[in-house]
Amino acid sequence: MGISDGMSYSSILVKFCFLLILTSAVASWIAFTTSSWGVNSDTVYTGIWRRCQGQVCVMLDGYPKVWFGVFQAFAIIGFMGINVAVVTIALYMFGASCKGNRETGFVAALVCIFTALFWLIAVIIFGAKYELDDEVSGPDSLDRLGFSFGLAVAALGLELIVGILMVLEVRLKAK
């Protein structure tokens, strides 16, 4: 009964935000866990946590390049933020004491906007440094960004849109 009440009580805008943030979370989970952020001509796939060639994978946690550690840190914060945003928007829709609460909506908007910026920084770092680092991408290879990179870009874009729409929702609710 709580879910049906939450759905009937929520505005179309909040329902749309919930759908977008769920889509963003799925894209974020796939991007975070797969090893196709960068691909080179030798079929070496590089992700946030491992680099694979064929069936052989090497873990990249603790990788000595500073830029890669910074990339991982920003990716973690962005990934966790999308998950927090899903929970916060769900509370805004369905939570007994948080249902339609302006503060909860505002927190959801802030989480979406700020953690989308963290994902954006991670994407920028990886996109700028991947092709320049022969240890990560491989020497003399034709590097390209993979589908995981694209999913991260889509996730951060959707999350940013949700943040803006939630600000709009909170402003409309105040009137």
Side-chain angles (χ1 to χ4, degrees):
M1 196 167 192
I3 292 177
S4 64
D5 285 345
M7 290 301 268
S8 64
Y9 177 79
S10 299
S11 68
I12 298 290
L13 186 58
V14 175
K15 293 173 190 172
F16 183 65
C17 286
F18 191 64
L19 178 66
L20 285 181
I21 200 67
L22 284 178
T23 306
S24 177
V26 169
S28 180
W29 273 88
I30 294 170
F32 195 75
T33 58
T34 56
S35 59
S36 290
W37 277 69
V39 182
N40 71 20
S41 61
D42 301 320
T43 64
V44 175
Y45 295 87
T46 303
I48 299 174
W49 305 112
R50 63 188 176 279
R51 178 180 39 229
C52 299
Q53 183 170 15
Q55 299 295 324
V56 179
C57 293
V58 176
M59 297 304 292
L60 293 175
D61 48 340
Y63 188 71
K65 295 286 186 169
V66 173
W67 74 266
F68 205 82
V70 173
F71 154 67
Q72 287 176 325
F74 278 101
I76 289 169
I77 295 169
F79 172 74
M80 293 304 295
I82 288 177
N83 295 309
V84 170
V86 169
V87 170
T88 309
I89 292 172
L91 284 173
Y92 183 79
M93 287 180 71
F94 307 115
S97 63
C98 298
K99 191 184 301 179
N101 186 312
R102 288 186 62 215
E103 289 83 13
T104 307
F106 187 68
V107 166
L110 284 180
V111 167
C112 286
I113 291 168
F114 282 113
T115 58
L117 295 176
F118 281 98
W119 253 130
L120 178 63
I121 293 169
V123 163
I124 289 171
I125 290 170
F126 189 85
K129 292 289 193 173
Y130 174 69
E131 291 186 357
L132 302 176
D133 194 338
D134 287 341
E135 288 181 34
V136 175
S137 63
D140 302 323
S141 62
L142 299 172
D143 300 325
R144 66 185 189 279
L145 299 171
F147 77 89
S148 299
F149 182 88
L151 285 174
V153 171
L156 77 88
L158 289 173
E159 186 182 24
L160 190 58
I161 290 168
V162 169
I164 293 167
L165 292 176
M166 284 302 293
V167 168
L168 182 63
E169 164 70 18
V170 170
R171 300 276 296 173
L172 290 174
K173 199 100 168 157
K175 294 181 180 183

